[in-house]
Amino acid sequence: MAIESEVLVIGGGLGGLTSALAAAREGADVRLVSYKQSTLRQASGLVDVLGYTPDGDGPLTDPYEAIPSLPETHPYRKVGVQTVRDALSLFDDAVPTYEGEHTDTNALLPTHGGSIKPTARYPAGASAGLASDTRDTLLVGIEEMVDFDAPHVAAHLDATGVPFDVRGETIRFPGDLRADAKVTRYAKLLDTNSEVAVRGRMVPAREALAQRVNPLLEDEERVGFPAVLGDDNPGAIRDTLSDHLGVDVFEVPMGPPSLPGLRLEDALFSALDEAGASIETGNPVVDFDGEDRIEKVFIEKNGAKIPNSADQYVLATGGFVGKGVESDRDGVYEPVFDCHVPHAADRYDWFEGELFGDHEFARYGVATDGDLRPLDASEHNEFENLRAAGSVLGGYDFAAEKSGSGVSIATGYAAGQRAAQEAR
Amino acid sequence: MSDAETPPETEFDPVAPNTGEEFEPVDVFPDSDDFDLRPGADSCYKCSTCDTNCPVAEVDDDFPGPKFQGPEQWRLKQSDDDHEIDDSVMDCSNCMRCDNACPSGVPLSQMHNTARGEYVSEQMDKLSVEYIRNRILANYRTSAFLASKVPRLANFAMNFGPARWVMEKTLGVTSERDFPAFAKQTFRDWWADRGGQVQSRENAKAARKRRGLPEDADKKVAYFHGCYSNYNTPEVGKAMVRVYEEFGYEVVAPEQKCSGTPMFANGMLDDARRHAETNVSSMSELVDEGYHAIASCTSCSMALRQEYPELFDIDGIDKVAENTFEAVEYLRIHEDLKGEVQAADVDGDLAEEFAYHAPCHSRNQGLDRQAVELFRDLDGAEVEDVGDSCSGISGTYGWKEEKYEKSMEIGEEMFEHMEHAEGETGMTECPTCAMQMEHGSGYEIRHPLELLEAALVE
Ligand SMILES: Cc1cc2nc3c(=O)[nH]c(=O)nc-3n(C[C@H](O)[C@H](O)[C@H](O)COP(=O)(O)OP(=O)(O)OC[C@H]3O[C@@H](n4cnc5c(N)ncnc54)[C@H](O)[C@@H]3O)c2cc1C
Ligand code: SF4
Ligand code: SF4
């Protein structure tokens, strides 16, 4: 016997979760298996569809309009504009705490570095911070959190020409946390609203935080904090802070480790659970049986190889960071099914001299046909029942284009839906 | 810095890729404590994903978290021979959540376990109350063995107020908790009374006949019951035996000691090694004869599968690890368990709504969703997941007087979710999580095997 399902999705990042969700909503019996936690915990939690063209033009106002002129090898071209839209609708439905669905136009959000970033969907907690909003803004940094230097961020934002006044202040987080306290420590304190000592008096954490900010507030109409305002109850925390401060409160998405990414991951896992899929995390898929068709794959648990079989498979193991694409001195490869990864034979052609140059390796990944089935070196399907989704795909550079989450969601949706239709 | 300024690709060094490279820790323990986990430490790219998983760092202002305890401390240690292990390593509860997190495959819990072992053997005062207390808590099997000889007296004495006050004041064992009750009859006594392996063979044969399987089918498993289902909850062990026999498996209950879990968490690696030697030797002989090792406690299966081969070099250890399974997992792989459960129903005692908590140690084995998914289609019972937080007790951690409050703070989320769940009976695979669930909610706690028994065994 093997553990069986109709559709088996390998990888638990944005690509895999969307695939599994799309397949489950199509009515298939779905199983998602993932090794470790995905790159979502390192990403900002913003869902970018397309911020810049591959040539660096932008920020783009309407990402959908730009898709038809992308290179043919780009994943968006494989699935088409309508699928990108449908995929985002699925996302909007599954993650109701995100905003941005009211318009095709990219929203402009301030980043923790003080730049402005075009994005298609953003957490509700970030919405009062939109850069197109003209309300004057106070940014509040926390002394111990060196990744968000509020006065510096404010100065940067100001230099980008935002249509409002912005000022930064730094406070000590109430309760004397250790200098390198984890973001989850701040979040937990605020989630549980536990009491902290402030000048010898015990005060609930949310109130204590508001008390620190109140005297600093001048006539600003909104206050932005780094994204540490809760893991389980971010809405309630923002409301309490807003009440105490008398202005809107928002979070500025942060770099790794990212609470918005973590919350997004949680939301997608619960949507998947509700859709009735099976989920297993903690162990890698290491091997498979089959020639033209994948018969079964093997999950390794401390030396034991557990067979899992399905009718259709989706490969969503991520890119270089997620370990879905690997490289060694001899080349670049996809480690689970050994799917072909087109790349320059000479290692010195993989990257450019400058750090931020146009590195080829940024676009490395498996190539597919229009149905997202991986192609071998002679452009034949590697397997008839395997599709690929997310950053394991080649042909795009998500960091330069600001398209990471969008590509994962769009290709995940397409791969999951087609796999389900074929399995049924 | 904005993400525009630091594209994530800069993590990737095309000249010296470290992606997924295998490494072999040099395992020379116990002759020397000199593990070489440096290559593991080098794959850390400081993304802090592990830190977002640590339940202790979430509530404890003094605990620096897994990234520091693991790769950072290892680097310091490798560059400076006199580097002392930071004493915060004793605050890690060994929940192993961080292990499951690292996208780069850094062996975090192995680093913590070895560092803790070294700290205890080299830096800790063997006459200190803390050391003695930890040693008593870690060697639960010894106390349980003695107590089980006089269960009634033990049940009384262990929870006798004044005695508990003394234990807290002198030993630092919290008096907030009730000691678990000792069963009147241990699992092993029940097993022997019932006729042991000979009887099991008969039962399995009869079941195979009922199911139309070949009577001589080679279906046999060795049960690692662990201390808890032997001394405290023999009903779990009995359920395991009955369910397996129902599927036609012959069960043996080989000689065994503590799995070592509480010892790893307290840095008592020498104690753990002694117990591991017995367990590995009896299990590996059986594995050679075609048995698989089956555990009903997820910390026990974790120890046999992962911690043993990471920490010790004992003959047959890898073979045992490869052939160890959790009890329900094994049936899912080898039988049509889902189909049988879908066709079954339960009534009576276990026709209940359960508030299920997945133990941290089930997570790394990919089993955290197993019970909810398996019982989804079972008529008469409902299993609801109460979320993914840690229960907070982590074996001996929550028994320590100075950790009690933190342990309850970690568990708070689980208690709340239990309260909001439909059911008023709890369910989990881990005996200490069960203690914490009971302590925080007052609910009675059952094991999935018991529900499986109610559904499938006449
Ligand atoms: C630092 C950083 C910042 C980012 N910022 C943004 C941003 O601001 N906006 C945006 O839109 N996008 C951003 N992205 C990109 C976006 O997050 C990713 O493109 C997207 O999440 C990738 O999803 P994925 O599912 O393809 O891969 P991943 O998230 O890499 O997930 C892959 C999963 O597969 C699992 N896996 C790998 N191998 C196996 C195996 N053999 N068996 C089983 N499972 C396996 C892994 O454990 C992992 O869980 C960022 C990415 C990074 C790394
Ligand atoms: S084992 Fe648990 S308590 Fe210890 S560092 Fe890892 S996550 Fe934290
Ligand atoms: S998750 Fe892994 S790579 Fe990231 S900081 Fe922790 S050990 Fe390092």
Side-chain angles (χ1 to χ4, degrees):
Chain A
M1 291 279 301
I3 295 178
E4 287 168 358
S5 53
E6 288 173 335
V7 175
L8 185 79
V9 177
I10 307 167
L14 209 41
L17 286 163
T18 317
S19 281
L21 191 57
R25 293 211 172 170
E26 225 20 66
D29 169 22
V30 182
R31 185 167 163 75
L32 176 132
V33 296
S34 183
Y35 183 24
K36 302 282 178 164
Q37 282 165 3
S38 74
T39 54
L40 267 182
R41 286 180 190 236
Q42 301 160 48
S44 60
L46 300 180
V47 175
D48 305 342
V49 169
L50 193 65
Y52 296 83
T53 67
D55 303 327
D57 295 335
L60 298 170
T61 310
D62 181 346
Y64 304 102
E65 199 183 76
I67 288 176
S69 0
L70 290 170
E72 247 178 69
T73 51
H74 198 288
Y76 280 147
R77 290 289 305 275
K78 308 268 180 199
V79 299
V81 180
Q82 190 52 44
T83 303
V84 181
R85 288 181 186 278
D86 294 346
L88 282 161
S89 305
L90 173 85
F91 176 87
D92 293 333
D93 185 57
V95 189
T97 52
Y98 267 57
E99 292 181 10
E101 74 275 23
H102 61 286
T103 170
D104 278 356
T105 310
N106 272 327
L108 295 174
L109 273 138
T111 70
H112 67 289
S115 59
I116 299 289
K117 173 174 177 162
T119 195
R121 298 287 186 276
Y122 45 91
S127 67
L130 288 183
S132 47
D133 188 333
T134 54
R135 289 179 292 170
D136 289 348
T137 304
L138 173 67
L139 295 177
V140 176
I142 293 164
E143 204 175 278
E144 296 81 4
M145 295 186 67
V146 289
D147 294 4
F148 186 77
D149 177 350
H152 180 84
V153 178
H156 265 248
L157 277 179
D158 197 48
T160 65
V162 288
F164 49 84
D165 285 340
V166 51
R167 217 162 46 81
E169 295 271 10
T170 303
I171 58 160
R172 291 196 49 139
F173 197 85
D176 267 331
L177 303 192
R178 59 179 294 126
D180 60 346
K182 312 298 161 216
V183 291
T184 48
R185 174 80 188 115
Y186 294 98
K188 180 92 178 183
L189 257 184
L190 293 167
D191 268 335
T192 52
N193 204 14
S194 308
E195 298 202 320
V196 290
V198 181
R199 278 184 233 99
R201 217 161 51 85
M202 297 306 284
V203 186
R206 297 176 195 174
E207 203 184 315
L209 180 56
Q211 282 174 5
R212 293 260 152 118
V213 177
N214 235 330
L216 305 173
L217 199 58
E218 290 170 4
D219 2 291
E220 289 89 1
E221 292 159 281
R222 48 180 178 164
V223 174
F225 291 90
V228 295
L229 305 182
D231 183 4
D232 300 323
N233 307 308
I237 296 168
R238 280 195 316 277
D239 289 348
T240 321
L241 292 174
S242 291
D243 283 351
H244 282 288
L245 295 170
V247 296
D248 268 355
V249 165
F250 64 93
E251 288 182 309
V252 180
M254 298 287 292
S258 150
L259 274 172
L262 219 142
R263 296 178 200 137
L264 176 55
E265 192 176 47
D266 283 351
L268 286 167
F269 270 109
S270 11
L272 193 54
D273 187 21
E274 259 162 53
S278 306
I279 304 166
E280 174 176 332
T281 59
N283 299 289
V285 171
V286 292
D287 204 357
F288 69 100
D289 262 359
E291 292 285 328
D292 299 335
R293 237 186 122 70
I294 295 164
E295 302 297 338
K296 47 172 105 105
V297 299
F298 296 92
I299 297 186
E300 185 181 286
K301 284 191 195 177
N302 309 104
K305 294 208 168 39
I306 318 280
N308 279 246
S309 71
D311 187 56
Q312 300 291 319
Y313 297 82
V314 177
L315 177 72
T317 44
F320 282 114
V321 181
K323 303 281 185 268
V325 179
E326 297 193 4
S327 65
D328 57 24
R329 299 208 152 255
D330 301 326
V332 185
Y333 60 99
E334 181 281 302
V336 181
F337 300 106
D338 199 18
C339 289
H340 173 64
V341 177
H343 63 279
D346 185 344
R347 228 151 33 91
Y348 291 93
D349 292 338
W350 295 0
F351 48 95
E352 296 292 317
E354 316 109 73
L355 190 55
F356 299 114
D358 179 23
H359 304 292
E360 239 187 71
F361 70 78
R363 290 186 297 272
Y364 285 167
V366 302
T368 70
D369 64 8
D371 197 28
L372 295 177
R373 281 182 288 196
L375 296 173
D376 63 18
S378 47
E379 312 247 314
H380 294 111
N381 281 334
E382 294 263 13
F383 304 96
E384 58 190 59
N385 58 345
L386 177 72
R387 287 176 181 76
S391 47
V392 71
L393 296 171
Y396 75 115
D397 177 348
F398 79 81
E401 299 167 8
K402 302 276 174 252
S403 64
S405 302
V407 168
S408 292
I409 290 171
T411 54
Y413 171 82
Q417 205 188 35
R418 290 171 197 180
Q421 283 160 356
E422 208 154 307
R424 302 243 79 200
Chain B
M1 258 184 294
S2 79
D3 37 12
E5 288 166 61
T6 46
E9 288 92 329
T10 53
E11 308 289 7
F12 171 61
D13 175 358
V15 185
N18 66 6
T19 40
E21 260 178 280
E22 293 285 326
F23 63 90
E24 274 294 313
V26 182
D27 185 4
V28 284
F29 198 80
D31 318 323
S32 110
D33 288 339
D34 204 13
F35 279 81
D36 185 7
L37 291 170
R38 175 71 199 258
D42 283 350
S43 344
C44 168
Y45 62 105
K46 300 200 182 293
C47 67
S48 300
T49 303
C50 52
D51 285 343
T52 63
N53 282 260
C54 179
V56 174
E58 214 171 68
V59 302
D60 183 349
D61 290 327
D62 298 325
F63 186 60
K67 182 176 64 175
F68 173 81
Q69 299 298 346
E72 289 183 356
Q73 178 138 275
W74 269 93
R75 285 203 192 114
L76 292 172
K77 217 165 100 62
Q78 296 298 318
S79 54
D80 170 9
D81 282 345
D82 299 325
H83 174 74
E84 294 241 309
I85 310 272
D86 193 81
D87 54 14
S88 61
V89 77
M90 296 307 286
D91 293 332
C92 157
S93 73
N94 199 34
C95 68
M96 301 172 89
R97 275 190 176 239
C98 47
D99 240 10
N100 210 13
C102 178
S104 202
V106 174
L108 287 146
S109 71
Q110 184 180 13
M111 291 176 168
H112 301 161
N113 273 330
T114 37
R116 203 160 31 230
E118 187 174 320
Y119 176 83
V120 170
S121 77
E122 320 250 308
Q123 285 162 245
M124 209 171 172
D125 174 6
K126 302 297 170 308
L127 296 173
S128 67
V129 171
E130 192 187 355
Y131 177 83
I132 296 167
R133 187 262 327 258
N134 288 0
R135 193 121 193 239
I136 293 175
L137 286 175
N139 283 279
Y140 173 74
R141 186 180 180 276
T142 312
S143 332
F145 170 77
L146 293 172
S148 71
K149 300 290 167 205
V150 281
R152 250 181 254 270
L153 177 63
N155 286 341
F156 170 74
M158 293 294 239
N159 288 308
F160 178 58
R164 294 301 303 277
W165 184 82
V166 173
M167 271 175 89
E168 178 164 304
K169 294 297 162 222
T170 58
L171 275 178
V173 174
T174 178
S175 60
E176 299 284 342
R177 293 181 188 278
D178 292 335
F179 272 107
F182 291 99
K184 307 268 176 321
Q185 186 191 31
T186 64
F187 168 77
R188 292 197 78 91
D189 287 343
W190 172 82
W191 172 254
D193 282 359
R194 183 178 181 258
Q197 186 183 358
V198 178
Q199 184 59 42
S200 186
R201 184 173 302 146
E202 290 301 310
N203 296 354
K205 250 195 203 150
R208 291 204 287 261
K209 198 160 169 193
R210 257 196 329 273
R211 293 179 162 253
L213 297 170
E215 269 191 51
D216 57 351
D218 194 26
K219 293 176 93 171
K220 46 192 186 182
V221 297
Y223 181 31
F224 190 86
H225 47 66
C227 310
Y228 208 80
S229 69
N230 187 36
Y231 297 115
N232 303 91
T233 54
E235 59 279 7
V236 172
K238 293 177 198 172
M240 184 279 170
V241 170
R242 292 184 186 127
V243 168
Y244 268 74
E245 288 176 352
E246 177 68 25
F247 280 100
Y249 289 90
E250 175 190 329
V251 181
V252 293
E255 188 203 346
Q256 55 192 274
K257 292 204 166 138
C258 170
S259 68
T261 302
M263 299 160 187
F264 301 136
N266 286 289
M268 311 282 170
L269 290 189
D270 291 338
D271 289 350
R273 189 192 168 84
R274 272 200 314 281
H275 290 254
E277 276 167 355
T278 306
N279 296 335
V280 170
S281 118
S282 65
M283 286 298 171
S284 71
E285 269 175 38
L286 286 164
V287 166
D288 286 339
E289 291 170 35
Y291 287 83
H292 288 110
I294 306 296
S296 51
C297 160
T298 40
S299 292
C300 294
S301 50
M302 189 74 196
L304 267 61
R305 281 178 145 171
Q306 182 176 326
E307 285 162 315
Y308 283 11
E310 275 180 358
L311 297 172
F312 308 129
D313 189 6
I314 303 174
D315 245 7
I317 210 161
D318 291 327
K319 196 169 61 192
V320 171
E322 282 166 35
N323 287 286
T324 298
F325 297 86
E326 189 272 337
V328 177
E329 172 191 33
Y330 187 81
L331 294 175
R332 265 170 70 227
I333 300 167
H334 295 279
E335 305 292 332
D336 179 19
L337 193 59
K338 196 168 167 184
E340 301 231 3
V341 168
Q342 276 168 352
D345 59 64
V346 282
D347 48 25
D349 212 21
L350 284 139
E352 278 280 356
E353 309 227 17
F354 294 95
Y356 172 78
H357 162 76
C360 294
H361 287 180
S362 75
R363 230 158 256 284
N364 285 30
Q365 298 172 73
L367 304 174
D368 50 321
R369 304 262 316 162
Q370 177 171 274
V372 250
E373 285 168 7
L374 178 64
F375 295 121
R376 242 177 209 162
D377 305 312
L378 175 65
D379 279 343
E382 202 70 54
V383 176
E384 184 183 341
D385 198 334
V386 294
D388 61 2
S389 83
C390 169
S391 79
I393 190 167
S394 290
T396 58
Y397 177 85
W399 281 94
K400 299 175 180 171
E401 193 239 332
E402 74 281 11
K403 305 274 193 315
Y404 174 76
E405 300 265 325
K406 285 172 207 155
S407 148
M408 294 303 280
E409 207 179 321
I410 297 172
E412 189 55 42
E413 196 179 320
M414 179 188 75
F415 303 141
E416 255 170 51
H417 289 168
M418 284 180 76
E419 200 170 302
H420 291 148
E422 292 290 329
E424 305 219 325
T425 305
M427 175 177 279
T428 191
E429 288 91 348
C430 169
T432 52
C433 289
M435 259 181 231
Q436 177 85 332
M437 292 167 84
E438 194 182 341
H439 182 62
S441 70
Y443 294 178
E444 186 190 355
I445 318 296
R446 311 300 289 256
H447 190 286
L449 277 171
E450 295 180 78
L451 182 55
L452 209 50
E453 180 192 11
L456 302 180
V457 183
E458 284 306 303

